[in-house]
Amino acid sequence: MAIKPFAHGNAVTVAEAVEALSASCRPLAGGTDLLAMMKADLTAPESLVNLKTIPELHEIGVVPDAETTKGLRIGAMVTLSQLAAHPAVQGRQELGRGSLTRSSMAVLHQAILRTASPQLRHMATLGGNLLQEPRCWYYRNELIPCWRKGGRLCYAYRGENKRHVILGGGPCYAVHPSDPAVALLAMDASLRIVGPAGERTMSLAEFYHPPDRETRTVTHLAIDELITEIRVPAPQAGTRGVYVKVAERAAWDFALAAVAIQAVMEGDTIRSCRVALGGVATIPWRASQVEEVLMGQASSPAPLSTAVIDRAVEAVVEDIRPLEHNGYKADLLQGVLREALDQLR
Amino acid sequence: MADKVHVTTLLNGESVEFLCAPSQTLLECLRDILGLTGAKNGCNDGNCGACSVLLDGRLANSCLVLGAEADGRTVITIEGLADWAGLHPIQQSFVEEDGLQCGCCTPGMIIAAKALLDREPNPSDGRIREWMAGNLCRCTGYETITRAVRRAAAHLNGEGAEG
């Protein structure tokens, strides 16, 4: 389907873009999701403001985070392939004392490389990736007025739901499609957000919320606000990360289940860790109960004991509420968690 | 109706100017305005890769790029590969390895292969398969396509064709 006519303008500054934003004027980043949504007539803005022409949004900077560590600041228009090629993300540029290891940023690097296809990674931006619309087949069908689009019902709840939510679902059961968001949640990343009233910073953990009954969205981004920067704190010494994803195809597919772990090791012991799950909830899902099981357990250099892995898997199962056709995802998620814990050494 | 946009691009090595509506994709501009029908309209939403082009040297789905945003950029399509002397080595390799049947995905496949070999002259089979993941083929099967890319790499590296 051709896209309905709209006006197009290039913004040069963030302020200019923010001033233009409204319900009928939407920001255009990489276009890989928005233009597809417009072709399907799921959204029809009167105008688009191009953000790719704002130079500052393309910068990746290593900046002092504290006295001895440095964080990574990623402009929202940095593409996924640019980010995957950055020396800091590849573990070749020091971000903090003792952080110069391949594994300290590996969770993000692996998540990006499991995202979409080479074509799409060249086009898609990190900011846009965090704000993708769900891939639910009912949501993406312009003829179906599902709850997320302002209708009364979630058709997936009693319908074809094999790819849908198993954790914390309702009223919408569409999974969040992003891989990088899951990795960034495990890394405790935060966002710089700019709107008419100025700028604010918000952790990714706070940014996402289950579908809101008023706005039917899953983020705290207002209609006239932009994500301008993604901030990743410097990994502490001894940090190890892993991202494991399972999809129907080995490449170019959305996660059926994914696990991101970012752990800080002290000798053989897991001093602290953050665990996030993808492909299973309406938002990137923090698995605090799994973190509690893992904290203080010995891992390196030997793998975690079977007993600990079993307890971690049990902890993730507790909250799972599968729908009619997606019970298999509970098993998948357990397998992916086992695989991730096995790789964490 | 929004005003048309004036676009200047370096297309297959030549400076090209055209007018398009803001809502027209680069794929529509190539096919409907400029008459370059090599890039195919497959799925039209970024899934299949049949519309692949090189945008500033990087592989991109032209169905998800606005024509207006190609202004000032370099575009290479399948039409830009062969020259007066004959087929490009990648095209020749697809012929030699039977890397096509119906041919609908082939322009995108060849452009994707070029994007890879321009940066990585000696990719492994695994790397080739991983890289070509954004280009779907519904009839050839991926084996001969992978072989064609491997043969093209050998050609471009100045080695004789294998076997």
Side-chain angles (χ1 to χ4, degrees):
Chain A
M1 197 190 291
I3 303 176
K4 282 191 177 146
F6 60 85
H8 174 273
N10 294 319
V12 182
T13 64
V14 170
E16 193 187 340
V18 166
E19 196 171 334
L21 294 180
S22 67
S24 60
C25 176
R26 306 308 305 141
L28 177 62
T32 56
D33 193 22
L34 179 59
L35 295 181
M37 290 278 295
M38 290 169 70
K39 286 178 188 197
D41 206 18
L42 291 165
T43 181
E46 286 165 20
S47 54
L48 295 182
V49 54
N50 180 17
L51 307 181
K52 295 185 291 299
T53 40
I54 304 174
E56 66 180 273
L57 298 185
H58 292 272
E59 291 168 9
I60 305 182
V62 176
V63 293
D65 202 31
E67 264 180 41
T68 52
T69 61
K70 295 168 183 165
L72 195 63
R73 295 190 176 182
I74 307 158
M77 291 304 104
V78 169
T79 64
L80 296 183
S81 59
Q82 284 167 344
L83 189 56
H86 193 273
V89 176
Q90 295 189 345
R92 294 185 286 112
Q93 180 179 356
E94 190 158 44
L95 286 173
R97 192 172 289 163
S99 80
L100 192 62
T101 60
R102 273 176 58 85
S103 56
S104 65
M105 297 289 277
V107 63
L108 180 59
H109 192 242
Q110 292 167 2
I112 295 170
L113 293 184
R114 286 300 311 272
T115 299
S117 64
Q119 285 88 328
L120 292 166
R121 291 197 295 271
H122 288 152
M123 305 160 77
T125 65
L126 185 61
N129 181 277
L130 301 181
L131 296 172
Q132 286 174 87
E133 294 295 329
R135 292 278 158 181
C136 167
W137 34 57
Y138 296 106
Y139 181 80
R140 293 272 167 170
N141 186 324
E142 74 275 18
L143 301 176
I144 297 178
C146 78
W147 182 87
R148 187 73 174 262
K149 289 185 288 194
R152 290 194 315 112
L153 286 176
C154 169
Y155 294 85
Y157 181 61
R158 297 251 181 244
E160 293 295 331
N161 49 35
K162 74 166 187 165
R163 302 191 76 144
H164 290 73
V165 163
I166 56 171
L167 278 167
C172 171
Y173 288 84
V175 296
H176 197 274
S178 171
D179 293 299
V182 180
L184 289 166
L185 179 60
M187 298 173 105
D188 199 13
S190 57
L191 306 174
R192 179 174 174 260
I193 295 169
V194 177
E199 71 167 83
R200 61 196 172 105
T201 307
M202 191 176 230
S203 74
L204 204 63
E206 294 169 286
F207 181 70
Y208 290 111
H209 56 73
D212 181 271
R213 286 172 192 274
E214 293 282 312
T215 63
R216 317 232 169 171
T217 60
V218 295
T219 74
H220 283 292
L221 194 72
I223 206 121
D224 53 0
E225 286 184 317
L226 289 177
I227 296 175
T228 58
E229 199 171 78
I230 295 89
R231 295 177 174 174
V232 180
Q236 298 172 46
T239 295
R240 282 189 217 166
V242 61
Y243 188 77
V244 178
K245 165 179 172 176
V246 169
E248 279 185 8
R249 293 182 297 198
W252 182 198
D253 205 351
F254 294 94
L256 292 171
V259 173
I261 305 178
Q262 185 81 326
V264 181
M265 308 300 300
E266 199 169 69
D268 291 353
T269 309
I270 299 176
R271 186 155 57 86
S272 64
C273 72
R274 289 173 64 97
V275 179
L277 312 177
V280 289
T282 52
I283 54 174
W285 192 263
R286 178 124 181 241
S288 315
Q289 319 95 301
V290 178
E291 294 170 7
E292 281 161 26
V293 171
L294 296 176
M295 223 84 85
Q297 298 293 339
S299 168
S300 166
L304 285 164
S305 73
T306 318
V308 171
I309 292 181
D310 286 346
R311 272 173 50 215
V313 170
E314 277 166 34
V316 84
V317 173
E318 276 173 22
D319 295 331
I320 292 179
R321 301 283 178 275
L323 300 167
E324 188 180 354
H325 304 292
N326 69 3
Y328 76 99
K329 286 179 76 168
D331 298 330
L332 267 187
L333 180 63
Q334 294 176 49
V336 172
L337 180 59
R338 280 183 193 278
E339 172 76 27
L341 291 171
D342 192 51
Q343 286 184 23
L344 191 74
R345 48 173 135 152
Chain B
M1 187 71 179
D3 287 339
K4 290 210 170 185
V5 185
H6 179 249
V7 179
T8 307
T9 65
L10 191 65
L11 175 60
N12 296 331
E14 282 182 53
S15 183
V16 170
E17 293 177 62
F18 61 89
L19 291 174
C20 69
S23 61
Q24 282 182 295
T25 63
L26 176 58
L27 178 65
E28 290 168 329
C29 295
L30 290 170
R31 294 180 60 87
D32 303 340
I33 299 175
L34 300 168
L36 297 179
T37 56
K40 298 289 181 272
N41 185 352
C43 68
N44 204 22
D45 66 5
N47 269 294
C48 77
C51 67
S52 296
V53 299
L54 300 184
L55 196 58
D56 291 337
R58 308 304 301 262
L59 187 62
N61 295 317
S62 62
C63 76
L64 291 179
V65 178
L66 293 179
E69 294 187 1
D71 189 50
R73 304 178 75 178
T74 300
V75 181
I76 293 177
T77 70
I78 189 69
E79 288 88 349
L81 262 59
D83 59 19
W84 60 271
L87 294 179
H88 185 281
I90 302 175
Q91 293 172 307
Q92 189 61 41
S93 300
F94 270 72
V95 172
E96 289 166 5
E97 292 288 355
D98 296 324
L100 62 152
Q101 282 183 37
C102 86
C104 189
C105 71
T106 313
M109 288 284 179
I110 290 173
I111 288 288
K114 178 167 166 54
L116 174 64
L117 298 178
D118 282 351
R119 279 161 198 266
E120 297 174 40
N122 284 305
S124 66
D125 277 10
R127 178 65 176 147
I128 293 170
R129 286 178 178 277
E130 178 189 56
W131 180 268
M132 306 294 281
N135 294 81
L136 305 185
C137 172
R138 288 287 114 105
C139 53
T140 316
Y142 298 99
E143 188 52 41
T144 56
I145 292 171
T146 307
R147 252 188 266 152
V149 179
R150 201 189 314 138
R151 179 185 279 255
H155 271 310
L156 290 164
N157 292 331
E159 300 157 24
E162 55 198 279

